[in-house]
Amino acid sequence: QALTHEDALAAVDRSDITAEPFKTVDELVEAITTEFTPYAKKLRIDVLRSNTSSNGAAYIIHTAKGGGFYIEYNPNILIKRSKEGVRAAMREEIIHAVHHQIAMKMYPGMNPVAASQAFDTKIGQSLSQEERKRIEGVYSNLKTDADYGAEYLRSLTQIYLYGEDSAQFMSAG
């Protein structure tokens, strides 16, 4: 059954949203390190601070020599969000990392980028117009079936696990 606007509002009511910000960048970095490094280690990925990244947080599939997978975050961007907004953003990237590992198991003969694209594309192609519109309401830059599939799967996972979607924190911080 498709999620509705009422489902989203109920998730907001169940969440522990506060507008409380981190007081300093160092406090934010410590919170991210403490909460998310253990999960990242289990996934065999790193959580890396980048003061130059244009993203608040992003899961990166690095294809250069040596490769590797990691979550990159810019504390100077994330500091503008509430504590729960930062937490939601980092959860989102952990979820993308888990989905990527599933994709690599489903498509073992493909390189990591191709496996991820194939997995997300298959999901994106299965979405109804209503589901696509719902995702477009949050992400205006989606162009491919893979883009839609990745964000739809992430959103469903986040709501299922936490009763909230990181998108609810975007306007509030």
Side-chain angles (χ1 to χ4, degrees):
Q1 180 180 352
L3 294 172
T4 66
H5 183 66
E6 288 75 27
D7 293 330
L9 292 175
V12 170
D13 290 341
R14 288 190 309 272
S15 70
D16 54 352
I17 298 173
T18 66
E20 184 181 350
F22 286 100
K23 291 178 179 69
T24 66
V25 167
D26 289 340
E27 180 187 14
L28 180 146
V29 169
E30 179 62 28
I32 287 174
T33 301
T34 300
E35 184 169 355
F36 293 100
T37 298
Y39 297 115
K41 283 185 178 183
K42 287 181 182 181
L43 295 170
R44 293 181 305 244
I45 63 173
D46 293 315
V47 177
L48 304 175
R49 175 182 177 165
S50 170
N51 292 330
T52 59
S53 173
S54 61
N55 294 310
Y59 175 65
I60 307 293
I61 302 170
H62 188 50
T63 57
K65 186 176 181 179
F69 317 112
Y70 56 93
I71 294 171
E72 177 180 83
Y73 71 95
N74 186 334
N76 300 312
I77 293 174
L78 290 178
I79 195 76
K80 298 171 188 168
R81 295 185 179 194
S82 67
K83 287 182 179 182
E84 285 304 313
V86 170
R87 188 175 203 211
M90 294 302 293
R91 283 176 173 169
E92 179 175 328
E93 301 315 321
I94 290 286
I95 290 168
H96 282 307
V98 169
H99 292 160
H100 180 240
Q101 290 194 6
I102 293 167
M104 290 191 307
K105 289 185 189 304
M106 287 181 67
Y107 300 96
M110 293 184 174
N111 72 52
V113 173
S116 187
Q117 288 289 321
F119 181 67
D120 294 338
T121 297
K122 193 168 198 152
I123 293 166
Q125 289 171 338
S126 73
L127 298 177
S128 68
Q129 282 305 112
E130 179 183 330
E131 291 165 328
R132 284 177 171 263
K133 285 187 185 289
R134 193 168 308 120
I135 294 296
E136 288 169 358
V138 178
Y139 294 97
S140 60
N141 61 341
L142 303 177
K143 294 178 179 69
T144 67
D145 287 330
D147 293 340
Y148 282 91
E151 293 308 331
Y152 186 78
L153 184 59
R154 189 264 325 140
S155 178
L156 287 181
T157 303
Q158 207 160 13
I159 290 168
Y160 176 78
L161 291 175
Y162 307 115
E164 60 196 28
D165 182 2
S166 59
Q168 74 193 49
F169 297 99
M170 289 186 168
S171 62

